[in-house]
Amino acid sequence: MSSPAPVHHLDIGIGGIHVRLRTTSPEFIGLMQARFRGFTGDVDAPDHVFDVEIVPVDYAEDEALDGISTEVRVLRDGPRWRLLCGDFDATWTPGTGRGTVRLHPSPYSLDSVLRILHTVLLAGQGGMLMHASSVVLDGRAYLFTGVSESGKTTISRLAPPDAHVLTDEMSFIRLEDGAYYAYGTPFAGELATPGENLRAPLAAIHLLAKGADNRIEPMGPAEAVRTVMANVLYFARDDALTAQVFDNAIALAAAVPVRRLTFFPDARVWDLFGTTP
């Protein structure tokens, strides 16, 4: 009888939440180490553990690609969550911190699973993932959100040399001891590089628009909440958690300034952040 294949593991830590992947595929572990560089490292007690089964797919075949659905479904069945898309099928029980995932051997499949997992976790903790870039300057984090092509990556690229880019794609916000913090994430957009793995208190959120000059304008409370809600990453079909997400958006917009930032795409826009309280 042949011996069972050895199990390999990789710990991925994002926003202080550590997820351990267990699999018999060392090749998959190698792929994930490269994809999540800067966010891996062994921990004694991971928060969540997923047993990973690799489902091969021939990406060279057009028929195989055409058959992969892009619809994401996130459902709760009692204490267990089910995360589904065409290239992955995961189950996870928060109370035990254990889960399983069947996925294609692609970094992007696991990327999606981790994003969805964190949206559920953060919603229950008063935080969220937002479609936003985030940059730390002088020890404070600034978020920049908006529709596609509004300039999230551009403003990150224009940041001063002494700034730290947390992400140009997906901002990670946690509520800790009554204050909001932004964390670096490996979820990259056009910059195609992970953010820096650090945290900073969240100073402000900005809704971006490109214009002929640079100016920051305040928002009223209702518009601020709408801006946050419109850019929260959230997939779950669950009434209780949906209500929690809405409450989180209201609380965030009440605690952190939400502003409109019109900017001309050059480095002078960052001069505003030395003068705006």
Side-chain angles (χ1 to χ4, degrees), residues 34-248:
R35 167 63 185 89
F36 295 98
R37 65 187 183 276
F39 292 83
T40 65
D42 284 346
V43 295
D44 293 333
D47 301 292
H48 305 278
V49 179
F50 280 81
D51 291 312
V52 179
E53 178 186 352
I54 307 302
V55 181
V57 61
D58 186 355
Y59 287 98
E61 295 290 338
D62 291 340
E63 295 82 358
L65 291 175
D66 290 342
I68 296 177
S69 170
T70 58
E71 180 188 5
V72 174
R73 289 176 291 159
V74 182
L75 312 168
R76 178 150 55 181
D77 180 13
R80 188 179 75 163
W81 286 91
R82 184 100 181 266
L83 320 176
L84 292 163
C85 193
D87 55 348
F88 61 82
D89 182 348
T91 61
W92 166 61
T93 304
T96 65
R98 297 302 297 262
T100 63
V101 56
R102 301 178 72 249
L103 49 68
H104 296 159
S106 161
Y108 305 105
S109 299
L110 181 64
D111 193 289
S112 297
V113 172
L114 290 177
R115 292 188 193 209
I116 296 168
L117 173 68
H118 284 104
T119 64
V120 175
L121 285 169
L122 289 171
Q125 300 172 0
M128 62 193 68
L129 281 182
M130 282 187 67
H131 287 288
S133 60
S134 46
V135 176
V136 176
L137 183 65
D138 297 330
R140 302 200 301 168
Y142 299 90
L143 263 65
F144 305 96
T145 190
V147 298
S148 179
E149 305 299 327
S150 61
K152 295 186 289 294
T153 296
T154 299
I155 201 163
S156 301
R157 188 181 289 118
L158 294 172
D162 58 340
H164 303 274
V165 177
L166 300 180
T167 176
D168 74 324
E169 164 76 1
M170 193 63 58
S171 289
F172 194 111
I173 303 169
R174 292 195 74 173
L175 178 62
E176 300 174 358
D177 298 324
Y180 290 95
Y181 288 82
Y183 280 79
T185 80
F187 307 130
E190 292 178 27
L191 292 182
T193 186
E196 294 189 54
N197 191 0
L198 50 84
R199 70 192 271 273
L202 180 56
I205 298 169
H206 300 87
L207 179 64
L208 292 176
K210 293 178 181 176
D213 58 0
N214 300 315
R215 63 183 184 276
I216 292 177
E217 301 166 296
M219 285 187 184
E223 187 179 9
V225 172
R226 286 196 298 270
T227 294
V228 173
M229 278 298 299
N231 294 286
V232 172
L233 187 70
Y234 181 68
F235 299 98
R237 300 176 184 177
D238 181 84
D239 291 343
L241 197 64
T242 300
Q244 183 65 59
V245 170
F246 186 68
D247 289 344
N248 293 346

